[in-house]
Amino acid sequence: MRKKWALLTGAVIAEVAGTLMLRATIENPLWIPLVVISYALAFTLLGFALRLGLPIGVVYGTWAAFGVALVAVLGMVVFGDTLSIGAMIGIAAIIAGVVLIETSTTEKPPEAGIEVNA
């Protein structure tokens, strides 16, 4: 169970790193290979989390919500971006929605016909 969530956490971290580096490519295109590697790693880890049986709605919702929240907060810290109160409330609402989805979803094995080597 922990392995699934570790993979998903890694996917979020890789996606956030890629997004932050994407901003750096504006001034220095040498960051582009690292952006590509980060996004490839993020999608690979997402795929592994799905293969281990996490529901796709939970995986994608968690990845997207925490990615948005982390990029917004780190954008403030690293790049001096600003967030309005409305944006902060929106981010909190997204995270709350993901928590509601995650706590109300029961894990079940993948659909028949899809082989999982866990």
Side-chain angles (χ1 to χ4, degrees):
M1 179 67 151
R2 290 179 193 236
K3 185 175 183 179
K4 298 173 191 179
W5 290 100
L7 290 167
L8 183 54
T9 300
V12 170
I13 292 168
E15 186 268 334
V16 168
T19 301
L20 293 175
M21 286 185 284
L22 187 62
R23 173 112 180 234
T25 65
I26 294 168
E27 294 179 12
N28 186 350
L30 294 175
W31 285 97
I32 292 172
L34 289 174
V35 171
V36 172
I37 290 167
S38 293
Y39 282 126
L41 177 61
F43 284 111
T44 300
L45 294 173
L46 277 177
F48 287 143
L50 290 168
R51 285 188 69 163
L52 291 177
L54 281 177
I56 194 166
V58 171
V59 168
Y60 187 71
T62 302
W63 179 63
F66 285 101
V68 166
L70 284 171
V71 166
V73 169
L74 290 173
M76 287 178 12
V77 172
V78 175
F79 300 112
D81 293 347
T82 58
L83 287 177
S84 67
I85 295 296
M88 288 186 240
I89 291 170
I91 290 168
I94 291 168
I95 292 172
V98 169
V99 169
L100 285 172
I101 290 169
E102 200 274 306
T103 57
S104 65
T105 302
T106 57
E107 288 187 38
K108 63 181 183 178
E111 296 293 321
I114 299 175
E115 186 176 323
V116 176
N117 298 323

